[in-house]
Coordinates of all heavy atoms in Angstrom, one line a residue:
D1264 N -20.4 -8.8 4.0 CA -20.1 -8.7 2.5 C -19.1 -7.5 2.3 O -18.5 -7.5 1.3 CB -21.5 -8.3 1.9 CG -22.3 -9.6 1.7 OD1 -21.8 -10.7 1.9 OD2 -23.5 -9.5 1.4
A1265 N -19.1 -6.6 3.2 CA -18.2 -5.4 3.0 C -16.7 -5.8 3.0 O -15.9 -5.1 2.4 CB -18.4 -4.3 4.0
L1266 N -16.4 -6.9 3.7 CA -15.0 -7.4 3.7 C -14.6 -8.3 2.5 O -13.5 -8.7 2.4 CB -14.8 -8.2 5.0 CG -14.8 -7.3 6.3 CD1 -14.5 -8.0 7.5 CD2 -13.7 -6.1 6.2
F1267 N -15.7 -8.6 1.7 CA -15.4 -9.3 0.5 C -15.5 -8.4 -0.7 O -15.2 -8.8 -1.8 CB -16.4 -10.5 0.4 CG -16.1 -11.6 1.3 CD1 -16.7 -11.6 2.5 CD2 -15.4 -12.7 0.9 CE1 -16.4 -12.7 3.4 CE2 -15.1 -13.8 1.7 CZ -15.7 -13.8 3.0
R1268 N -15.8 -7.1 -0.4 CA -15.7 -6.1 -1.5 C -14.8 -5.0 -1.0 O -15.3 -4.2 -0.1 CB -17.1 -5.6 -1.8 CG -18.1 -6.6 -2.4 CD -19.3 -6.0 -2.9 NE -20.3 -7.0 -3.3 CZ -21.3 -7.4 -2.6 NH1 -21.5 -6.8 -1.4 NH2 -22.2 -8.3 -3.1
L1269 N -13.6 -4.9 -1.4 CA -12.6 -4.0 -0.9 C -12.1 -2.9 -1.9 O -12.2 -3.1 -3.1 CB -11.4 -4.8 -0.5 CG -11.7 -6.0 0.6 CD1 -10.4 -6.8 0.7 CD2 -12.2 -5.4 1.9
R1270 N -11.8 -1.8 -1.3 CA -11.1 -0.7 -2.1 C -9.7 -0.7 -1.6 O -9.4 -0.7 -0.3 CB -11.8 0.6 -1.9 CG -11.1 1.7 -2.8 CD -11.9 2.9 -2.7 NE -11.4 3.9 -3.7 CZ -11.9 5.2 -3.8 NH1 -12.8 5.6 -3.1 NH2 -11.3 6.0 -4.7
I1271 N -8.7 -0.7 -2.5 CA -7.2 -0.7 -2.1 C -6.6 0.4 -2.8 O -6.5 0.5 -4.0 CB -6.6 -2.1 -2.6 CG1 -7.4 -3.3 -2.0 CG2 -5.1 -2.1 -2.1 CD1 -6.9 -4.6 -2.5
K1272 N -6.1 1.3 -2.0 CA -5.4 2.5 -2.5 C -4.0 2.5 -2.0 O -3.6 2.2 -0.9 CB -6.1 3.8 -2.0 CG -7.6 3.9 -2.4 CD -8.3 5.1 -1.7 CE -7.7 6.4 -2.2 NZ -8.5 7.5 -1.5
G1273 N -3.0 2.9 -2.9 CA -1.6 2.9 -2.5 C -0.7 3.4 -3.5 O -1.1 4.1 -4.6
R1274 N 0.6 3.1 -3.4 CA 1.6 3.5 -4.2 C 2.7 2.4 -4.3 O 2.8 1.6 -3.4 CB 2.2 4.8 -3.8 CG 2.7 4.7 -2.3 CD 3.0 6.1 -1.7 NE 3.3 6.0 -0.3 CZ 3.7 7.0 0.5 NH1 3.8 8.2 0.0 NH2 4.0 6.8 1.8
T1275 N 3.4 2.5 -5.4 CA 4.5 1.5 -5.5 C 5.7 2.1 -6.2 O 5.5 3.0 -7.1 CB 4.0 0.2 -6.4 OG1 5.0 -0.7 -6.6 CG2 3.4 0.7 -7.7
R1276 N 6.8 1.6 -5.9 CA 8.1 2.0 -6.6 C 9.0 0.8 -6.6 O 9.3 0.3 -5.5 CB 8.7 3.2 -5.9 CG 10.0 3.6 -6.7 CD 10.7 4.8 -6.0 NE 10.0 6.0 -6.2 CZ 10.5 7.2 -5.8 NH1 11.6 7.3 -5.2 NH2 9.7 8.3 -5.9
G1277 N 9.4 0.4 -7.7 CA 10.2 -0.8 -7.8 C 9.5 -2.0 -7.2 O 8.3 -2.3 -7.6
D1278 N 10.1 -2.7 -6.2 CA 9.5 -3.9 -5.6 C 8.7 -3.5 -4.4 O 8.0 -4.4 -3.7 CB 10.5 -4.9 -5.2 CG 11.4 -4.4 -4.1 OD1 12.1 -3.4 -4.3 OD2 11.3 -5.0 -2.9
K1279 N 8.6 -2.3 -4.0 CA 7.9 -1.9 -2.8 C 6.5 -1.4 -3.0 O 6.2 -0.6 -3.9 CB 8.7 -0.7 -2.2 CG 10.1 -1.1 -1.8 CD 10.9 0.1 -1.3 CE 12.3 -0.3 -0.8 NZ 13.1 -1.0 -1.9
I1280 N 5.6 -1.9 -2.2 CA 4.1 -1.6 -2.3 C 3.7 -1.2 -1.0 O 3.9 -1.9 0.1 CB 3.3 -2.8 -2.8 CG1 3.8 -3.3 -4.2 CG2 1.8 -2.4 -2.8 CD1 3.1 -4.6 -4.6
Q1281 N 3.0 -0.1 -0.9 CA 2.3 0.3 0.3 C 0.8 0.5 0.0 O 0.5 1.3 -1.0 CB 2.9 1.6 0.9 CG 2.5 2.0 2.3 CD 3.4 3.0 2.9 OE1 4.1 3.8 2.2 NE2 3.5 3.1 4.2
A1282 N -0.1 -0.1 0.7 CA -1.5 -0.1 0.4 C -2.4 0.0 1.6 O -2.1 -0.6 2.7 CB -1.9 -1.4 -0.4
L1283 N -3.4 0.8 1.4 CA -4.5 0.9 2.5 C -5.7 0.2 2.0 O -6.1 0.3 0.8 CB -4.8 2.4 2.7 CG -3.7 3.2 3.4 CD1 -4.1 4.8 3.4 CD2 -3.4 2.8 4.8
I1284 N -6.3 -0.6 2.9 CA -7.4 -1.4 2.5 C -8.7 -1.0 3.2 O -8.7 -0.9 4.4 CB -7.2 -2.9 2.8 CG1 -5.9 -3.4 2.0 CG2 -8.3 -3.8 2.4 CD1 -5.4 -4.8 2.4
Y1285 N -9.7 -0.7 2.4 CA -11.0 -0.2 3.0 C -12.1 -1.2 2.7 O -12.3 -1.5 1.5 CB -11.3 1.1 2.3 CG -10.4 2.3 2.4 CD1 -9.2 2.3 1.6 CD2 -10.6 3.4 3.3 CE1 -8.3 3.3 1.7 CE2 -9.7 4.4 3.3 CZ -8.5 4.4 2.6 OH -7.6 5.4 2.7
P1286 N -12.9 -1.6 3.7 CA -14.1 -2.3 3.4 C -15.1 -1.4 2.6 O -15.0 -0.2 2.6 CB -14.7 -2.6 4.8 CG -13.5 -2.4 5.7 CD -12.7 -1.4 5.1
E1287 N -15.9 -2.1 1.8 CA -16.8 -1.4 0.9 C -17.7 -0.3 1.7 O -18.3 -0.6 2.8 CB -17.9 -2.3 0.2 CG -18.8 -1.7 -0.7 CD -19.8 -2.7 -1.2 OE1 -20.4 -3.5 -0.5 OE2 -20.0 -2.7 -2.5
G1288 N -17.7 0.9 1.2 CA -18.5 1.9 1.8 C -17.8 2.7 3.0 O -18.4 3.6 3.5
E1289 N -16.6 2.3 3.4 CA -16.0 2.9 4.5 C -15.0 3.9 4.1 O -14.3 3.7 3.1 CB -15.3 1.8 5.4 CG -16.2 0.8 6.0 CD -17.2 1.4 7.0 OE1 -16.8 2.3 7.7 OE2 -18.3 0.9 7.0
E1290 N -14.9 5.0 4.8 CA -13.9 6.1 4.6 C -12.6 5.9 5.3 O -11.6 6.6 4.9 CB -14.5 7.4 4.9 CG -15.7 7.7 4.0 CD -16.3 9.2 4.3 OE1 -15.7 9.9 5.2 OE2 -17.3 9.5 3.6
E1291 N -12.6 5.1 6.4 CA -11.4 4.9 7.1 C -10.8 3.5 6.8 O -11.5 2.6 6.7 CB -11.6 5.0 8.6 CG -12.1 6.3 9.1 CD -11.0 7.4 8.9 OE1 -9.8 7.1 9.0 OE2 -11.4 8.6 8.5
P1292 N -9.5 3.4 6.6 CA -8.9 2.1 6.2 C -8.9 1.1 7.4 O -8.8 1.5 8.6 CB -7.5 2.5 5.9 CG -7.2 3.7 6.7 CD -8.4 4.5 6.7
L1293 N -9.1 -0.2 7.1 CA -9.1 -1.2 8.1 C -7.7 -1.7 8.2 O -7.3 -2.2 9.3 CB -10.1 -2.3 7.7 CG -10.0 -3.5 8.6 CD1 -10.4 -3.2 10.1 CD2 -11.0 -4.6 8.1
M1294 N -7.0 -1.8 7.1 CA -5.6 -2.4 7.2 C -4.6 -1.5 6.3 O -5.0 -0.8 5.4 CB -5.6 -3.8 6.7 CG -6.3 -4.8 7.6 SD -6.1 -6.5 7.0 CE -7.0 -7.4 8.3

Side-chain angles (χ1 to χ4, degrees):
D1264 285 347
L1266 291 180
F1267 287 86
R1268 298 190 185 99
L1269 303 171
R1270 185 175 186 182
I1271 307 172
K1272 301 172 65 176
R1274 53 193 176 177
T1275 176
R1276 181 182 290 185
D1278 69 294
K1279 299 174 178 60
I1280 301 173
Q1281 194 165 22
L1283 293 172
I1284 302 175
Y1285 301 75
E1287 183 183 48
E1289 297 296 325
E1290 296 184 358
E1291 296 296 325
L1293 174 61
M1294 290 188 179

